[in-house]
Structure formats: structure tokens, C-alpha cells
Coordinates of all heavy atoms in Angstrom, one line a residue:
M1 N 4.2 6.9 -37.3 CA 2.9 7.6 -37.2 C 2.6 7.8 -35.7 O 2.8 7.0 -34.9 CB 1.8 6.7 -37.8 CG 0.6 7.5 -38.1 SD -0.8 6.4 -38.6 CE -1.3 5.8 -37.0
T2 N 2.1 9.0 -35.4 CA 1.8 9.3 -34.0 C 0.3 8.9 -33.7 O -0.6 9.2 -34.6 CB 2.0 10.8 -33.6 OG1 1.2 11.6 -34.4 CG2 3.4 11.2 -33.7
D3 N 0.0 8.4 -32.6 CA -1.3 8.0 -32.2 C -1.7 8.9 -31.1 O -1.4 8.7 -29.9 CB -1.3 6.5 -31.8 CG -2.7 6.0 -31.5 OD1 -3.5 6.8 -31.1 OD2 -2.9 4.8 -31.6
D4 N -2.5 10.0 -31.4 CA -2.8 11.0 -30.4 C -3.7 10.4 -29.3 O -3.6 10.8 -28.1 CB -3.6 12.1 -31.0 CG -2.6 13.0 -31.9 OD1 -1.4 12.9 -31.7 OD2 -3.1 13.7 -32.7
T5 N -4.6 9.5 -29.7 CA -5.5 8.9 -28.7 C -4.6 8.1 -27.6 O -4.8 8.3 -26.4 CB -6.5 7.9 -29.4 OG1 -7.2 8.7 -30.3 CG2 -7.4 7.3 -28.4
L6 N -3.7 7.3 -28.1 CA -2.9 6.5 -27.2 C -2.0 7.4 -26.3 O -1.9 7.2 -25.1 CB -2.0 5.5 -28.0 CG -1.1 4.6 -27.2 CD1 -2.0 3.7 -26.2 CD2 -0.3 3.7 -28.1
A7 N -1.5 8.5 -27.0 CA -0.7 9.4 -26.2 C -1.5 10.1 -25.1 O -1.0 10.2 -24.0 CB -0.1 10.5 -27.2
R8 N -2.7 10.4 -25.4 CA -3.6 11.0 -24.3 C -3.9 10.0 -23.2 O -3.8 10.4 -22.0 CB -4.9 11.5 -25.0 CG -5.1 13.0 -24.8 CD -6.5 13.5 -25.2 NE -7.5 12.5 -25.8 CZ -7.6 12.3 -27.1 NH1 -6.9 12.9 -28.0 NH2 -8.5 11.5 -27.5
Y9 N -4.2 8.8 -23.6 CA -4.4 7.8 -22.5 C -3.1 7.6 -21.7 O -3.2 7.5 -20.4 CB -4.7 6.4 -23.2 CG -6.1 6.3 -23.9 CD1 -6.3 5.4 -24.9 CD2 -7.1 7.1 -23.5 CE1 -7.5 5.3 -25.5 CE2 -8.4 7.0 -24.1 CZ -8.5 6.1 -25.1 OH -9.7 6.0 -25.7
R10 N -2.0 7.6 -22.3 CA -0.7 7.4 -21.6 C -0.4 8.6 -20.7 O 0.2 8.4 -19.6 CB 0.4 7.1 -22.6 CG 0.3 5.7 -23.1 CD 1.5 5.4 -24.1 NE 1.4 4.0 -24.5 CZ 2.1 3.5 -25.4 NH1 3.0 4.3 -26.1 NH2 2.0 2.2 -25.7
E11 N -0.8 9.8 -21.1 CA -0.6 11.0 -20.3 C -1.3 10.8 -18.9 O -0.8 11.1 -17.9 CB -1.2 12.2 -21.0 CG -0.3 13.4 -20.9 CD -0.9 14.5 -21.7 OE1 -1.8 15.2 -21.2 OE2 -0.5 14.7 -22.9
S12 N -2.6 10.3 -19.1 CA -3.4 10.0 -17.9 C -2.8 8.9 -17.0 O -2.8 9.0 -15.8 CB -4.8 9.7 -18.4 OG -5.7 9.7 -17.3
I13 N -2.3 7.9 -17.7 CA -1.7 6.8 -16.9 C -0.5 7.3 -16.2 O -0.3 7.0 -15.0 CB -1.3 5.6 -17.9 CG1 -2.6 4.9 -18.4 CG2 -0.3 4.6 -17.2 CD1 -2.3 3.9 -19.6
D14 N 0.3 8.1 -16.8 CA 1.5 8.7 -16.2 C 1.1 9.5 -14.9 O 1.8 9.5 -13.9 CB 2.3 9.5 -17.1 CG 3.1 8.6 -18.1 OD1 3.2 7.4 -17.9 OD2 3.6 9.1 -19.2
N15 N 0.1 10.3 -15.0 CA -0.4 11.1 -13.9 C -0.9 10.2 -12.8 O -0.5 10.5 -11.6 CB -1.6 12.0 -14.3 CG -1.1 13.2 -15.1 OD1 0.1 13.5 -15.2 ND2 -2.0 13.9 -15.8
I16 N -1.6 9.2 -13.1 CA -2.1 8.3 -12.1 C -0.9 7.5 -11.4 O -0.8 7.4 -10.2 CB -3.1 7.2 -12.6 CG1 -4.4 8.0 -13.1 CG2 -3.4 6.1 -11.6 CD1 -5.3 7.1 -14.0
D17 N 0.1 7.1 -12.2 CA 1.3 6.4 -11.6 C 2.0 7.4 -10.7 O 2.5 7.0 -9.6 CB 2.2 5.9 -12.7 CG 1.6 4.7 -13.5 OD1 0.6 4.1 -13.0 OD2 2.1 4.3 -14.5
A18 N 2.1 8.6 -11.1 CA 2.8 9.6 -10.2 C 2.0 9.8 -8.9 O 2.6 9.8 -7.8 CB 2.9 11.0 -10.9
A19 N 0.7 9.9 -9.0 CA -0.1 10.0 -7.8 C 0.1 8.8 -6.9 O 0.2 8.9 -5.6 CB -1.6 10.2 -8.1
L20 N 0.1 7.6 -7.5 CA 0.4 6.4 -6.7 C 1.7 6.4 -5.9 O 1.8 6.0 -4.8 CB 0.3 5.1 -7.6 CG -1.0 4.6 -8.0 CD1 -0.9 3.5 -9.1 CD2 -1.8 4.1 -6.8
V21 N 2.7 6.9 -6.6 CA 4.0 7.0 -6.0 C 4.0 7.9 -4.8 O 4.5 7.6 -3.7 CB 5.1 7.4 -7.0 CG1 6.4 7.9 -6.3 CG2 5.4 6.2 -7.9
F22 N 3.3 9.1 -5.0 CA 3.2 10.1 -3.9 C 2.4 9.5 -2.7 O 2.8 9.7 -1.6 CB 2.6 11.4 -4.4 CG 3.6 12.2 -5.2 CD1 3.3 12.6 -6.5 CD2 4.8 12.6 -4.7 CE1 4.2 13.3 -7.3 CE2 5.7 13.4 -5.4 CZ 5.4 13.7 -6.7
M23 N 1.3 8.8 -3.1 CA 0.5 8.3 -2.0 C 1.3 7.2 -1.2 O 1.2 7.1 0.0 CB -0.8 7.7 -2.6 CG -1.8 8.8 -2.9 SD -3.4 8.2 -3.3 CE -3.2 7.6 -4.9
L24 N 2.0 6.3 -2.0 CA 2.8 5.3 -1.3 C 3.9 5.9 -0.4 O 4.1 5.4 0.7 CB 3.4 4.3 -2.3 CG 2.5 3.3 -2.9 CD1 3.2 2.5 -4.0 CD2 2.1 2.3 -1.8
A25 N 4.5 7.0 -0.9 CA 5.5 7.7 -0.2 C 5.0 8.2 1.2 O 5.6 8.0 2.2 CB 6.1 8.8 -1.0
E26 N 3.7 8.7 1.1 CA 3.1 9.2 2.3 C 2.8 8.1 3.3 O 3.0 8.2 4.5 CB 1.8 10.0 2.0 CG 1.9 11.4 1.6 CD 2.8 12.2 2.6 OE1 2.4 12.3 3.8 OE2 3.8 12.8 2.1
R27 N 2.3 7.0 2.7 CA 2.0 5.8 3.5 C 3.2 5.3 4.2 O 3.2 5.0 5.4 CB 1.3 4.7 2.7 CG 0.6 3.7 3.5 CD 0.0 2.6 2.6 NE -1.0 1.8 3.4 CZ -0.7 0.9 4.3 NH1 0.6 0.6 4.6 NH2 -1.6 0.2 4.9
F28 N 4.3 5.2 3.5 CA 5.5 4.6 4.1 C 6.1 5.6 5.1 O 6.8 5.2 6.0 CB 6.5 4.2 3.0 CG 6.3 2.8 2.5 CD1 5.5 2.6 1.3 CD2 6.7 1.7 3.2 CE1 5.3 1.3 0.9 CE2 6.4 0.4 2.7 CZ 5.7 0.2 1.6
K29 N 5.9 6.9 4.9 CA 6.3 7.9 5.9 C 5.6 7.7 7.2 O 6.3 7.7 8.3 CB 6.0 9.3 5.3 CG 7.0 10.4 5.7 CD 6.5 11.7 5.3 CE 6.8 12.1 3.9 NZ 6.3 13.5 3.6
I30 N 4.3 7.4 7.2 CA 3.6 7.3 8.4 C 3.9 5.9 9.0 O 4.0 5.7 10.2 CB 2.1 7.6 8.2 CG1 1.3 7.6 9.6 CG2 1.4 6.6 7.3 CD1 1.8 8.8 10.5
T31 N 4.0 4.8 8.2 CA 4.3 3.5 8.7 C 5.7 3.5 9.3 O 6.0 2.7 10.2 CB 4.1 2.4 7.7 OG1 4.8 2.6 6.6 CG2 2.6 2.2 7.4
K32 N 6.6 4.3 8.9 CA 7.9 4.4 9.5 C 7.8 4.9 10.9 O 8.4 4.3 11.8 CB 8.8 5.3 8.7 CG 10.3 5.4 9.1 CD 11.1 6.3 8.2 CE 12.6 6.2 8.5 NZ 13.0 6.9 9.6
A33 N 6.9 5.9 11.1 CA 6.7 6.4 12.5 C 6.0 5.3 13.3 O 6.4 5.1 14.5 CB 5.8 7.6 12.4
V34 N 5.1 4.6 12.7 CA 4.4 3.5 13.4 C 5.5 2.4 13.9 O 5.5 2.0 15.0 CB 3.3 2.8 12.6 CG1 2.8 1.6 13.3 CG2 2.2 3.8 12.3
G35 N 6.4 2.1 13.0 CA 7.4 1.1 13.3 C 8.3 1.6 14.4 O 8.7 0.8 15.3
E36 N 8.7 2.8 14.4 CA 9.5 3.4 15.5 C 8.8 3.3 16.8 O 9.3 3.0 17.8 CB 10.0 4.8 15.1 CG 11.0 4.8 14.0 CD 11.2 6.2 13.3 OE1 10.6 7.1 13.7 OE2 12.0 6.2 12.4
H37 N 7.5 3.7 16.8 CA 6.7 3.7 18.0 C 6.5 2.2 18.5 O 6.7 2.0 19.7 CB 5.3 4.2 17.6 CG 4.3 4.1 18.7 ND1 4.3 4.9 19.9 CD2 3.2 3.2 18.9 CE1 3.3 4.5 20.7 NE2 2.6 3.5 20.1
K38 N 6.3 1.3 17.6 CA 6.2 -0.1 18.0 C 7.5 -0.6 18.6 O 7.5 -1.3 19.6 CB 5.8 -1.0 16.8 CG 4.3 -0.9 16.4 CD 4.0 -1.9 15.3 CE 2.5 -1.9 15.2 NZ 2.0 -2.9 14.2
A39 N 8.6 -0.3 18.0 CA 9.9 -0.7 18.5 C 10.2 -0.1 19.9 O 10.7 -0.8 20.8 CB 11.0 -0.3 17.5
K40 N 9.8 1.1 20.1 CA 10.0 1.8 21.4 C 9.1 1.3 22.5 O 9.6 1.1 23.6 CB 9.7 3.3 21.2 CG 10.7 4.2 21.9 CD 10.3 5.7 21.8 CE 10.4 6.2 20.4 NZ 9.8 7.6 20.2
T41 N 7.9 0.9 22.1 CA 6.9 0.5 23.1 C 6.9 -1.1 23.2 O 6.1 -1.6 24.0 CB 5.5 1.0 22.8 OG1 5.2 0.7 21.5 CG2 5.5 2.6 22.9
G42 N 7.6 -1.8 22.4 CA 7.7 -3.2 22.5 C 6.5 -3.9 21.9 O 6.2 -5.1 22.1
L43 N 5.8 -3.2 21.0 CA 4.6 -3.8 20.3 C 5.2 -4.7 19.2 O 6.2 -4.4 18.5 CB 3.7 -2.8 19.8 CG 2.8 -2.1 20.8 CD1 2.1 -0.8 20.1 CD2 1.7 -3.0 21.2
P44 N 4.5 -5.8 18.8 CA 4.9 -6.7 17.7 C 4.8 -6.0 16.4 O 3.9 -5.2 16.2 CB 4.0 -7.9 17.8 CG 2.8 -7.5 18.6 CD 3.2 -6.3 19.5
P45 N 5.7 -6.3 15.4 CA 5.7 -5.6 14.1 C 4.3 -5.8 13.4 O 3.8 -4.9 12.8 CB 6.8 -6.3 13.4 CG 7.7 -6.9 14.4 CD 6.8 -7.2 15.6
A46 N 3.8 -7.1 13.5 CA 2.6 -7.4 12.7 C 1.4 -7.4 13.7 O 1.5 -7.9 14.8 CB 2.7 -8.7 12.0
D47 N 0.2 -7.0 13.2 CA -1.0 -7.1 13.9 C -2.1 -7.7 13.0 O -2.8 -7.0 12.3 CB -1.5 -5.7 14.3 CG -2.7 -5.7 15.2 OD1 -3.5 -6.7 15.2 OD2 -3.0 -4.7 15.9
P48 N -2.2 -9.1 13.0 CA -3.1 -9.8 12.1 C -4.6 -9.4 12.2 O -5.3 -9.4 11.2 CB -2.9 -11.3 12.5 CG -1.6 -11.3 13.2 CD -1.4 -10.0 13.9
N49 N -5.0 -9.0 13.4 CA -6.4 -8.5 13.6 C -6.7 -7.3 12.8 O -7.6 -7.1 12.1 CB -6.8 -8.3 15.1 CG -6.9 -9.6 15.8 OD1 -7.3 -10.6 15.2 ND2 -6.7 -9.5 17.1
R50 N -5.7 -6.3 13.0 CA -5.9 -5.1 12.2 C -5.8 -5.3 10.7 O -6.6 -4.8 9.9 CB -4.7 -4.1 12.6 CG -4.4 -3.0 11.8 CD -5.5 -1.9 11.9 NE -5.1 -0.7 11.1 CZ -6.0 0.1 10.5 NH1 -7.3 -0.1 10.7 NH2 -5.6 1.1 9.7
E51 N -4.9 -6.3 10.3 CA -4.8 -6.6 8.9 C -6.1 -7.1 8.3 O -6.6 -6.8 7.2 CB -3.7 -7.6 8.6 CG -2.3 -6.9 8.9 CD -1.2 -8.0 8.8 OE1 -1.4 -9.0 8.2 OE2 -0.2 -7.7 9.4
S52 N -6.8 -8.0 9.1 CA -8.1 -8.6 8.7 C -9.1 -7.5 8.4 O -9.8 -7.5 7.4 CB -8.6 -9.6 9.7 OG -7.7 -10.6 9.9
I53 N -9.1 -6.6 9.4 CA -10.1 -5.4 9.2 C -9.8 -4.6 8.0 O -10.7 -4.3 7.2 CB -10.1 -4.6 10.5 CG1 -10.6 -5.3 11.7 CG2 -10.9 -3.3 10.3 CD1 -10.3 -4.7 13.1
Q54 N -8.5 -4.3 7.8 CA -8.1 -3.5 6.6 C -8.5 -4.3 5.3 O -9.0 -3.6 4.4 CB -6.6 -3.3 6.6 CG -6.1 -2.3 7.6 CD -4.6 -2.3 7.8 OE1 -4.0 -3.2 8.4 NE2 -3.9 -1.3 7.2
I55 N -8.2 -5.6 5.3 CA -8.4 -6.3 4.0 C -9.9 -6.4 3.7 O -10.3 -6.2 2.6 CB -7.8 -7.7 4.1 CG1 -6.2 -7.6 4.0 CG2 -8.3 -8.7 3.1 CD1 -5.4 -8.8 4.4
E56 N -10.7 -6.7 4.8 CA -12.2 -6.7 4.6 C -12.7 -5.4 4.0 O -13.5 -5.3 3.1 CB -12.9 -7.1 5.8 CG -13.1 -8.6 6.0 CD -13.3 -9.3 4.6 OE1 -14.3 -9.1 3.9 OE2 -12.4 -10.1 4.2
R57 N -12.2 -4.3 4.7 CA -12.6 -3.0 4.3 C -12.3 -2.7 2.8 O -13.1 -2.2 2.0 CB -12.0 -1.9 5.2 CG -12.3 -0.5 4.8 CD -11.8 0.5 5.9 NE -12.0 1.8 5.5 CZ -11.1 2.6 4.9 NH1 -9.9 2.1 4.6 NH2 -11.4 3.8 4.5
L58 N -11.0 -3.0 2.5 CA -10.5 -2.7 1.1 C -11.3 -3.6 0.1 O -11.6 -3.1 -1.0 CB -9.0 -3.0 1.0 CG -8.4 -2.0 0.0 CD1 -8.2 -0.6 0.6 CD2 -7.0 -2.5 -0.4
R59 N -11.6 -4.8 0.4 CA -12.3 -5.7 -0.5 C -13.7 -5.1 -0.8 O -14.1 -5.1 -1.9 CB -12.4 -7.1 0.1 CG -11.1 -7.9 0.1 CD -11.4 -9.4 0.5 NE -12.2 -10.1 -0.4 CZ -11.7 -10.8 -1.5 NH1 -10.4 -10.9 -1.6 NH2 -12.5 -11.4 -2.3
S60 N -14.3 -4.6 0.3 CA -15.6 -4.0 0.1 C -15.6 -2.7 -0.7 O -16.4 -2.5 -1.6 CB -16.2 -3.8 1.5 OG -17.2 -2.8 1.5
L61 N -14.6 -1.9 -0.4 CA -14.4 -0.7 -1.2 C -14.1 -1.0 -2.7 O -14.6 -0.4 -3.6 CB -13.2 0.2 -0.7 CG -13.4 0.9 0.6 CD1 -12.1 1.5 1.1 CD2 -14.5 2.0 0.4
A62 N -13.3 -2.1 -2.9 CA -13.0 -2.5 -4.3 C -14.2 -2.9 -5.0 O -14.4 -2.5 -6.2 CB -12.0 -3.6 -4.3
K63 N -15.1 -3.6 -4.3 CA -16.4 -4.1 -5.0 C -17.2 -2.9 -5.4 O -17.7 -2.8 -6.5 CB -17.2 -5.0 -4.1 CG -16.7 -6.4 -4.0 CD -17.5 -7.3 -3.1 CE -16.6 -8.3 -2.4 NZ -17.1 -8.8 -1.2
S64 N -17.3 -1.9 -4.5 CA -18.1 -0.7 -4.9 C -17.4 0.1 -6.0 O -18.1 0.9 -6.7 CB -18.5 0.1 -3.7 OG -17.6 0.0 -2.7
A65 N -16.1 0.0 -6.1 CA -15.4 0.7 -7.2 C -15.3 -0.1 -8.4 O -14.6 0.4 -9.4 CB -14.1 1.2 -6.6
N66 N -15.9 -1.3 -8.5 CA -15.8 -2.1 -9.6 C -14.3 -2.6 -9.9 O -13.9 -2.8 -11.1 CB -16.3 -1.4 -10.9 CG -17.5 -2.1 -11.4 OD1 -17.7 -3.3 -11.1 ND2 -18.2 -1.4 -12.3
L67 N -13.6 -2.8 -8.8 CA -12.2 -3.3 -8.9 C -12.2 -4.7 -8.4 O -12.9 -5.0 -7.4 CB -11.3 -2.3 -8.1 CG -9.8 -2.6 -8.2 CD1 -9.2 -2.3 -9.6 CD2 -9.1 -1.7 -7.1
D68 N -11.3 -5.6 -8.9 CA -11.3 -6.9 -8.5 C -10.8 -7.0 -7.0 O -9.7 -6.6 -6.7 CB -10.3 -7.7 -9.4 CG -10.1 -9.1 -9.0 OD1 -10.7 -9.6 -8.0 OD2 -9.3 -9.8 -9.7
P69 N -11.7 -7.5 -6.1 CA -11.3 -7.5 -4.7 C -10.1 -8.4 -4.4 O -9.3 -8.1 -3.5 CB -12.6 -8.1 -4.0 CG -13.6 -8.4 -5.0 CD -13.0 -8.0 -6.3
D70 N -9.9 -9.5 -5.1 CA -8.7 -10.3 -4.9 C -7.5 -9.6 -5.3 O -6.5 -9.7 -4.6 CB -8.8 -11.6 -5.8 CG -9.9 -12.5 -5.4 OD1 -10.4 -12.4 -4.2 OD2 -10.4 -13.4 -6.2
F71 N -7.5 -8.8 -6.4 CA -6.4 -8.0 -6.7 C -6.1 -7.0 -5.6 O -4.9 -6.8 -5.2 CB -6.6 -7.3 -8.1 CG -5.6 -6.2 -8.3 CD1 -4.3 -6.5 -8.7 CD2 -5.9 -4.9 -8.1 CE1 -3.3 -5.5 -8.9 CE2 -4.9 -3.9 -8.3 CZ -3.6 -4.2 -8.6
S72 N -7.1 -6.3 -5.1 CA -7.0 -5.3 -4.1 C -6.4 -5.9 -2.8 O -5.5 -5.3 -2.2 CB -8.3 -4.7 -3.7 OG -9.0 -4.2 -4.8
E73 N -6.8 -7.1 -2.5 CA -6.2 -7.8 -1.3 C -4.8 -8.1 -1.5 O -3.9 -7.9 -0.6 CB -7.0 -9.1 -1.0 CG -6.4 -9.8 0.2 CD -7.3 -11.0 0.7 OE1 -8.5 -11.1 0.3 OE2 -6.8 -11.8 1.5
K74 N -4.5 -8.6 -2.7 CA -3.0 -8.9 -3.0 C -2.2 -7.7 -2.9 O -1.0 -7.7 -2.4 CB -2.9 -9.6 -4.4 CG -3.0 -11.1 -4.4 CD -2.6 -11.6 -5.8 CE -3.8 -11.6 -6.7 NZ -3.5 -12.1 -8.1
F75 N -2.7 -6.6 -3.5 CA -2.0 -5.3 -3.5 C -1.7 -4.8 -2.1 O -0.6 -4.5 -1.7 CB -2.8 -4.3 -4.3 CG -2.1 -2.9 -4.4 CD1 -1.0 -2.8 -5.2 CD2 -2.7 -1.8 -3.8 CE1 -0.4 -1.6 -5.3 CE2 -2.1 -0.6 -4.0 CZ -0.9 -0.4 -4.7
L76 N -2.7 -4.9 -1.2 CA -2.6 -4.4 0.2 C -1.6 -5.4 0.9 O -0.8 -4.9 1.7 CB -3.9 -4.4 0.9 CG -3.9 -3.8 2.3 CD1 -3.4 -2.3 2.3 CD2 -5.2 -3.9 3.0
R77 N -1.8 -6.7 0.7 CA -0.9 -7.7 1.3 C 0.6 -7.4 1.0 O 1.4 -7.5 1.8 CB -1.3 -9.1 0.8 CG -0.7 -10.3 1.4 CD -1.2 -10.6 2.7 NE -0.3 -10.1 3.7 CZ -0.6 -9.8 5.0 NH1 -1.8 -10.0 5.4 NH2 0.3 -9.3 5.8
F78 N 0.8 -7.1 -0.3 CA 2.2 -6.8 -0.8 C 2.8 -5.6 0.0 O 3.9 -5.6 0.5 CB 2.1 -6.5 -2.3 CG 3.4 -6.2 -2.9 CD1 4.4 -7.2 -3.0 CD2 3.6 -4.9 -3.4 CE1 5.6 -6.9 -3.7 CE2 4.9 -4.6 -4.0 CZ 5.8 -5.6 -4.1
I79 N 1.9 -4.6 0.2 CA 2.4 -3.4 0.9 C 2.6 -3.6 2.3 O 3.7 -3.3 2.9 CB 1.4 -2.2 0.6 CG1 1.4 -1.8 -0.8 CG2 1.7 -1.0 1.5 CD1 0.2 -0.9 -1.2
I80 N 1.6 -4.3 3.0 CA 1.7 -4.6 4.4 C 3.0 -5.5 4.7 O 3.7 -5.2 5.7 CB 0.4 -5.2 5.0 CG1 -0.7 -4.1 5.0 CG2 0.6 -5.7 6.4 CD1 -2.1 -4.6 5.4
D81 N 3.2 -6.4 3.8 CA 4.4 -7.3 4.1 C 5.7 -6.5 4.0 O 6.6 -6.8 4.8 CB 4.4 -8.4 3.0 CG 3.4 -9.5 3.3 OD1 2.8 -9.5 4.4 OD2 3.1 -10.3 2.4
E82 N 5.7 -5.5 3.1 CA 6.9 -4.7 3.1 C 7.0 -3.8 4.4 O 8.1 -3.7 4.9 CB 6.8 -3.8 1.8 CG 8.0 -2.9 1.6 CD 9.3 -3.6 1.2 OE1 9.3 -4.8 0.9 OE2 10.4 -3.0 1.4
V83 N 5.9 -3.3 4.8 CA 5.9 -2.5 6.1 C 6.3 -3.4 7.2 O 7.2 -2.9 8.1 CB 4.4 -2.0 6.3 CG1 4.4 -1.3 7.7 CG2 4.1 -0.9 5.3
I84 N 5.8 -4.6 7.3 CA 6.2 -5.5 8.4 C 7.8 -5.8 8.4 O 8.4 -5.8 9.4 CB 5.4 -6.8 8.4 CG1 4.0 -6.5 8.7 CG2 6.0 -7.8 9.4 CD1 3.0 -7.7 8.5
H85 N 8.3 -5.9 7.2 CA 9.7 -6.1 7.0 C 10.5 -4.9 7.5 O 11.5 -5.0 8.3 CB 10.0 -6.3 5.5 CG 11.4 -6.5 5.1 ND1 12.2 -7.6 5.5 CD2 12.2 -5.7 4.4 CE1 13.4 -7.4 5.0 NE2 13.5 -6.3 4.3
H86 N 10.0 -3.7 7.2 CA 10.6 -2.5 7.8 C 10.5 -2.4 9.3 O 11.4 -2.0 10.0 CB 9.9 -1.2 7.2 CG 10.2 -1.0 5.7 ND1 9.8 0.1 5.1 CD2 10.8 -1.8 4.8 CE1 10.2 0.1 3.8 NE2 10.8 -1.1 3.6
H87 N 9.3 -2.8 9.8 CA 9.1 -2.8 11.3 C 10.1 -3.7 12.0 O 10.6 -3.4 13.0 CB 7.7 -3.2 11.6 CG 6.5 -2.3 11.4 ND1 6.7 -1.0 10.9 CD2 5.2 -2.4 11.5 CE1 5.6 -0.4 10.8 NE2 4.6 -1.2 11.2
R88 N 10.3 -4.9 11.3 CA 11.2 -5.9 12.0 C 12.6 -5.3 12.0 O 13.3 -5.4 13.0 CB 11.2 -7.2 11.2 CG 9.9 -7.9 11.3 CD 10.0 -9.4 11.2 NE 8.7 -10.0 11.6 CZ 7.8 -10.6 10.7 NH1 8.1 -10.7 9.5 NH2 6.7 -11.1 11.2
K89 N 13.0 -4.6 10.9 CA 14.3 -4.0 10.9 C 14.4 -2.9 12.0 O 15.4 -2.8 12.7 CB 14.7 -3.4 9.5 CG 15.0 -4.5 8.5 CD 15.8 -4.0 7.4 CE 15.1 -3.1 6.4 NZ 15.8 -2.7 5.3
A90 N 13.4 -2.1 12.1 CA 13.4 -1.0 13.1 C 13.4 -1.6 14.5 O 14.2 -1.1 15.4 CB 12.1 -0.2 13.0
G91 N 12.7 -2.7 14.7 CA 12.7 -3.4 16.0 C 14.1 -4.0 16.4 O 14.5 -4.0 17.5
A92 N 14.8 -4.3 15.3 CA 16.2 -4.9 15.5 C 17.2 -3.8 15.5 O 18.4 -4.1 15.6 CB 16.5 -5.9 14.5
G93 N 16.8 -2.6 15.4 CA 17.7 -1.4 15.4 C 18.5 -1.3 14.1 O 19.5 -0.7 14.1
M94 N 17.9 -1.8 13.0 CA 18.6 -1.7 11.7 C 17.7 -0.9 10.8 O 17.0 -1.4 10.0 CB 18.8 -3.1 11.1 CG 19.3 -4.1 12.1 SD 19.5 -5.8 11.4 CE 18.3 -5.9 10.1
T95 N 17.8 0.4 10.9 CA 17.0 1.2 10.0 C 17.8 1.5 8.7 O 19.0 1.3 8.6 CB 16.7 2.6 10.6 OG1 17.9 3.1 11.2 CG2 15.6 2.4 11.7
G96 N 17.1 1.8 7.6 CA 17.7 2.1 6.3 C 17.6 0.9 5.4 O 17.2 -0.1 5.7
Ligands
PRE101 O1 -1.4 -0.5 12.0 C1 -0.3 -1.1 12.3 O2 -0.2 -1.6 13.4 C2 0.8 -1.1 11.4 O3 1.9 -1.5 11.7 C3 0.5 -0.7 10.0 C4 0.2 -1.9 9.1 C5 -0.1 -1.3 7.7 O4 0.8 -1.2 6.9 O5 -1.2 -0.9 7.5 C6 1.4 -2.8 9.0 C7 1.5 -3.9 9.8 C8 0.4 -4.4 10.7 O6 0.4 -5.8 10.7 C9 -0.8 -3.8 10.4 C10 -1.0 -2.6 9.6

């Protein structure tokens, strides 16, 4: 039996997932440039002060959007940790 309601919900979920992938691809495109800039200028891969500002901002945005701020922080942390990992590789001259 086909469930049209569920199929419609899933269509929307698939669109949102696609948008997330495109947004993440754009974010990683720009953080790649940041990593190269940092490697070239000798800046450290991680900037904990900047991270604190980003996390506070995202937590506040999450609250106004009715999204769990702890989840939002974990999500951003996960992404930033991956970016730092890329930055470290760029700093060591190991891209890819
Ligand atoms: O803004 C920077 O300095 C970055 O390298 C980008 C970024 C991020 O992904 O947002 C990643 C690592 C830093 O610790 C802080 C922020």
C-alpha cells in the first residue's frame, strides 16, 4: 500500500537533505581557502575564541528557531573539528 502523506513528507526531507549537502559543500569550499591562508601566513589551525563566539551565536539562533541548542552546538562542533583536521593537513602540506 502506498502512503501518499509519508511520501510527501519524505520528498520534503530529501530536498532539505540536498540543501544541507550543498550548504556544507560551500562551507568546506571556503574553509579550504581559510586553511590555505592560515598555512601560508603561519596562523594556527584552530581559533578557540572565534569558536566560542560562533557557538554562542548558533545556540542563540537555535533557541529562537525552536531547535535544541545543545544539538546545534554538537553539530557545529562536529563540523569545526573536521575543518581543523583539514587545516592541520594543509599546514603539514598534505592536502586531499
Ligand atoms: O575562522 C577560522 O579561523 C576558521 O578556521 C574556520 C573555523 C570554522 O570552521 O568555522 C574553523 C576553525 C577555527 O577554530 C574557527 C572557525
Side-chain angles (χ1 to χ4, degrees):
M1 198 190 81
T2 60
D3 183 334
D4 289 342
T5 302
L6 183 59
R8 239 190 357 266
Y9 289 154
R10 285 183 174 168
E11 222 177 84
S12 191
I13 289 168
D14 286 346
N15 284 345
I16 292 165
D17 288 347
L20 281 174
V21 164
F22 284 121
M23 284 192 282
L24 278 173
E26 276 310 300
R27 196 183 196 284
F28 276 97
K29 213 189 275 178
I30 190 68
T31 55
K32 184 174 189 287
V34 172
E36 286 162 4
H37 173 74
K38 284 185 167 183
K40 217 184 295 168
T41 56
L43 283 167
D47 182 341
N49 285 336
R50 165 75 177 148
E51 291 172 24
S52 299
I53 294 165
Q54 286 170 284
I55 286 165
E56 269 328 296
R57 176 171 176 267
L58 211 76
R59 288 186 67 90
S60 161
L61 286 172
K63 279 179 213 155
S64 26
N66 244 341
L67 184 69
D68 180 357
D70 291 339
F71 167 75
S72 305
E73 178 171 347
K74 268 192 275 179
F75 182 66
L76 185 63
R77 186 73 266 157
F78 179 69
I79 294 168
I80 290 178
D81 285 347
E82 182 66 18
V83 170
I84 292 170
H85 178 66
H86 290 187
H87 284 358
R88 292 210 169 106
K89 284 204 290 185
M94 316 176 335
T95 46

